[in-house]
Amino acid sequence: MSASTVLLLSYFLLAIFVLAFVIRTLKLARLPVHLRWELSPVPHEKGKGEYGGSYLEEVDWWTKPREKDLVSEAIYMFKEILFLKALFEHNRKLWWFSYPFHFGLYLLTAAAGLMVLGGVASVAGMTVGEWALVDRGLPLLAGVGYGLGAIGAVGLFFLRWTDDGMRNSTAPATFINLLVLLAMFVTGLWAVFSVSGFAGHTMGFAGGLLTASLPPQIPGIVSAHLLFALIFLAYLPFTQMMHFVAKYFTYHEVRWDDEPVTAGSKLDRELKKLLNQPVTWAAPHIRADGKKTWVDIATDTGRPEESAK
Amino acid sequence: MKKKILIVDDEPDIVSYLEMVLQDSGFETMTAGNGNEAMEAVKRERPDLVTLDITMPEASGTRFYKELRTDPDLSTIPVIIVTAVTGLGGDKYAYEKFISNRRLVPAPEAFFPKPIDREAFVEAVKGLLAA
């Protein structure tokens, strides 16, 4: 494949990724307001988490001042993101493979960051190849990341395949995703171990993308792997792997959204709008006909004489 | 002299049941319907043990537990948490794990999910009051 084809293909894949990622994220952010439920404790409740309390304990809690503790929330998020704490507590069997898998991806993200940084610095005329952080750090981060990712992907594939409970709740696409990622990890490992000057070549690729001119001496396996990584990036926004973005909304907009519904507020208006939507749910006990709204259904006593009033 | 046990719960049926179980086992009982009443009773009566529900009106069991445990005069009174609060997937012991990991309060002396195992509950009460 010629350098110009690789370049065009790379831009095309990156454009798909950026566009699809933004659209999918906006869609997630604009989902209808969730069911209001009082879940506690919420990590940002100041002074409450230390003893397991919540301001939801207070009588008429929505009328009282609520102080936020963002440090406490950040600590919770840090533990969740870095260690997958909830998975460790609730599904230890899955955590043993999910953790190396995700940590491998974090290391690869850091390696990609270094690659782009190095590419930018090279384009700016700096001799980045002499920086130990980049020259040694990039292959080290990438090698460990690919290795951990591969171990995790293989383990997750077999665990989900052999465990009856997990197999029943695993979509076929999840198995495909794991295989795609495994292929990326393996080609990455191959590139790191078989090519001398891995850091220089990958940074050359990144710099080439910035200047629209790929260096001619990039080894085939490095180009192939980076292209494969870009294909994966373009595929990512169309899969359930977008859960890393969705998780932000799951926590901040659902689990931890403790904004009370006060009369006339934006939340109140949004909820009223939803309640006035016609219901098409087919479950017989709902008795929806496509015309009745949620309000009609919720206030329907089932007695014709009362409903008619 | 009979040992005094304070039963804290807002469900009258649960209160009656625990009263019967504990009185049949030779203990004196008193009751409170929420965390505020419980704190008043503890200060007034100084019970030897408290059985504590979590979800209650006015002041929850969680808040009462914090107030009890952070009061130097009352913090040594043993507490058995008796609750129907569950965690993810209906985990009956999730609240015990949760409250036992708090920085400000120690783990309770015992924990029983509702409905309680009567024999194990009485054993736990006797064990704590014999210590």
Side-chain angles (χ1 to χ4, degrees), chain A residues 93-169:
Chain A
K93 197 158 60 167
L94 194 63
W95 183 87
W96 287 112
F97 292 112
S98 190
Y99 185 62
F101 177 79
H102 284 91
F103 197 73
L105 286 172
Y106 297 160
L107 292 182
L108 290 175
T109 307
L114 268 186
M115 181 181 115
V116 172
L117 199 71
V120 171
S122 297
V123 170
M126 294 181 224
T127 49
V128 199
E130 291 165 14
W131 299 354
L133 173 72
V134 175
D135 191 38
R136 290 177 202 162
L138 203 154
L140 185 69
L141 278 176
V144 177
Y146 289 132
L148 285 174
I151 291 167
V154 170
L156 286 172
F157 188 96
F158 282 103
L159 189 62
R160 287 185 174 277
W161 190 266
T162 54
D163 184 291
D164 285 344
M166 284 193 210
R167 194 171 57 240
N168 290 336
S169 61

Side-chain angles (χ1 to χ4, degrees), chain A residues 1-11 212-214:
Chain A
M1 199 183 284
S2 70
S4 57
T5 311
V6 172
L7 200 61
L8 282 175
L9 197 55
S10 301
Y11 288 140
S213 159
L214 286 181

Side-chain angles (χ1 to χ4, degrees), chain A residues 40-41 47-54 57-59 89-90, chain B residues 58-63 66 88 95 98-99 102-105:
Chain A
S40 70
K48 302 286 188 182
E50 293 164 350
Y51 72 96
S54 166
E57 293 172 295
E58 307 281 341
V59 178
E89 287 170 358
H90 301 298
Chain B
E58 301 298 328
S60 72
T62 308
R63 187 201 282 185
K66 188 250 303 191
L88 278 179
Y95 187 81
F98 169 73
I99 199 73
R102 298 300 100 191
R103 192 155 52 89
L104 201 66
V105 292

